[in-house]
Amino acid sequence: MEYRKLGNTALELSTITYGAFAIGGTMWAGNDQKDSIEAIHASLDHGVTTLDTAPFYGFGLSEELIGQALKGKDRTKVQLLTKFGLVWDGSNQGKGEHFFDLPVDGKNVAIYKLASKANIIKEVEESLKRLDTDYIDLIQQHWPDASTPIDETMEAMESLIQQGKVRAAAVSNYSLDQLKEAGNTFVPAANQVAYSMLNRSIEKDLVPYTVENNIGIIVYSPMERGLLSGKYFQNEKLKADDHRNGYFGQFDLEKVKTFLESIRPIAEEKNASLAQLALRWTTLQKGITIVLAGARNAEQAISNAQAMSLDLSAEELSFIDGELRKL
C-alpha cells in the first residue's frame, strides 16, 4: 500500500481508502453486517488504514459498523473520515435545502442538506458516539447547502479542529467557485468529488486549482459503483431496490462495454481484474490524493487493496487514454 499526505494537513492516508457507503445498506438493497465487518478487517489487514463513511449511509448504520469493527484495534493506526450535512430525522425536517426523497420501507423519507453551525456540532457528537471514538481524523461537508452561508460552515469546522474533536476538515461535491469562497474563511484540506474513467470533468479546472493550492482530492465512485468491473455485462443482476438500476442509465453502456473489452488484455496480462485496473488508473491521475473503494465482503476488500500492486507503464496509460477518447 502507498500512503499520501492530505493537502496541508499532517494526515497520511492510504491511497486506497475503504468507502463505507454500501455497507449502510440504504440505496444498495441491504447488506450483511457480518460480511461488512469482515470487509473492514480484511482492508486493515492488507494495508488500508483509512475508512470513509457518513451518517447518511444507512442512517447511522455504516458508522456503527465501523465502530464495532475497530473494537480492540489500535485507533492511532486508523484514520476515520466522516461527514455531516445530510439530515433526515424528524427534528430537522423542513430545515435546510431539500435534496431528494428516498424510498425506505414503502414510504418516502425527505433528505435535506443542512450545514449550519448548530447542525454540524450536533452531527459530529452523534458520529463520535456511533464510531465509538473521541476524535475524527477528517470531517467533511457532504454536500453544499444553499441555505447556509459557506463562511458559517467553515468557521464551525475550524472551531471543531481547535477543540480537538477533529484533526482536519474538508468539503465534498464543491464546485471550483464554492471552493474558492470557502478559502476566504478556512482552506479545506480536500474536496471529495466523483471521478472515474467515465467522469473526468474535474480535470479541466478543479484539479489545476487544488494542485496549485495544496488541496487534496478524495475520489468517490472510481468504478462507477461497479460498472467498470465489467460484471454487469456478464449476466450480473441488480436487486429491484438497488439505486444503480437508474444510475447506470446515464452511460452509453454499449460504448462502456467496448471500452472495457479494449483494456481487458492489460488487466489479464497482469493477472488483475478490470476493477483493479480502474482503481489503479485512478490513483495515478494528476492531483488525485486518495481513492475510495467500497467492499461488501472480505474478498472484495482484499482485491481493492491489491490494486496498488499493479504497475502501469506510460505506454499502457497512453493506450487507456486513447481508448477513453473514443467514448
Side-chain angles (χ1 to χ4, degrees), residues 143 155 171 176 195 211 239 285 305:
W143 282 89
E155 288 171 0
V171 295
L176 177 59
Y195 178 74
V211 169
K239 293 181 179 179
Q285 301 310 298

Side-chain angles (χ1 to χ4, degrees), residues 122-280:
K122 172 180 178 291
E123 287 204 61
V124 166
E125 291 300 327
E126 292 169 346
S127 290
L128 288 168
K129 184 176 181 179
R130 285 191 290 259
L131 291 165
D132 194 18
T133 186
D134 55 4
Y135 71 94
I136 293 164
D137 293 278
L138 183 72
I139 194 71
Q140 303 160 92
Q141 181 181 357
H142 207 152
W143 282 89
D145 165 29
S147 72
T148 304
I150 287 178
D151 60 353
E152 177 182 339
T153 304
M154 296 303 110
E155 288 171 0
M157 291 199 294
E158 187 173 25
S159 175
L160 287 168
I161 294 173
Q162 294 169 351
Q163 294 171 32
K165 292 184 178 180
V166 304
R167 295 179 62 194
V171 295
S172 182
N173 299 300
Y174 262 43
S175 68
L176 177 59
D177 287 344
Q178 289 167 331
L179 193 59
K180 288 180 177 179
E181 182 179 346
N184 293 329
T185 305
F186 170 77
V187 179
N191 190 10
Q192 182 175 144
V193 290
Y195 178 74
S196 74
M197 288 174 160
L198 306 180
N199 176 14
R200 303 174 68 178
S201 60
I202 65 169
E203 294 177 353
K204 182 178 180 181
D205 54 9
L206 190 60
V207 167
Y209 180 81
T210 55
V211 169
E212 181 180 353
N213 291 276
N214 193 24
I215 297 171
I217 289 184
I218 300 173
V219 168
Y220 70 84
S221 294
M223 292 186 286
E224 290 299 353
R225 311 195 185 188
L227 183 62
L228 289 173
S229 71
K231 63 184 180 180
Y232 298 103
F233 298 110
Q234 298 173 348
N235 299 317
E236 181 83 11
K237 301 299 181 183
L238 297 171
K239 293 181 179 179
D241 55 346
D242 192 315
H243 77 286
R244 290 174 293 177
N245 285 298
Y247 183 84
F248 289 165
Q250 67 184 292
F251 303 107
D252 185 325
L253 296 181
E254 282 303 313
K255 286 187 176 181
V256 173
K257 182 178 180 180
T258 299
F259 164 69
L260 292 175
E261 289 307 312
S262 75
I263 65 171
R264 187 183 296 276
I266 296 176
E268 291 178 344
E269 181 183 343
K270 301 175 186 298
N271 196 29
S273 67
L274 285 171
Q276 288 175 318
L277 180 58
L279 282 177
R280 186 61 174 134

Side-chain angles (χ1 to χ4, degrees), residues 23 53 63 65 80 95 149 152 256 266 269 273 293 301:
I23 67 170
T53 184
E63 288 185 325
L65 289 173
L80 293 180
K95 295 182 180 179
E152 177 182 339
V256 173
I266 296 176
E269 181 183 343
S273 67

Side-chain angles (χ1 to χ4, degrees), residues 286-325:
K286 182 178 179 180
I288 305 305
T289 310
I290 64 172
V291 176
L292 307 187
R296 291 175 177 261
N297 54 53
E299 181 182 4
Q300 292 175 352
I302 293 169
S303 176
N304 291 341
Q306 291 178 339
M308 286 302 294
S309 66
L310 270 65
D311 183 19
L312 294 176
S313 68
E315 290 75 18
E316 289 167 333
L317 290 169
S318 178
F319 174 80
I320 293 171
D321 283 347
E323 294 302 302
L324 285 172
R325 284 193 289 271

Side-chain angles (χ1 to χ4, degrees), residues 30-68:
N31 78 317
D32 183 294
Q33 296 190 21
K34 179 176 180 292
D35 285 349
S36 299
I37 291 176
E38 289 177 352
I40 295 168
H41 288 165
S43 295
L44 297 173
D45 291 343
H46 287 79
V48 172
T49 62
T50 312
L51 312 176
D52 178 272
T53 184
F56 173 69
Y57 302 160
F59 301 133
L61 178 60
S62 177
E63 288 185 325
E64 289 173 359
L65 289 173
I66 288 175
Q68 293 174 33

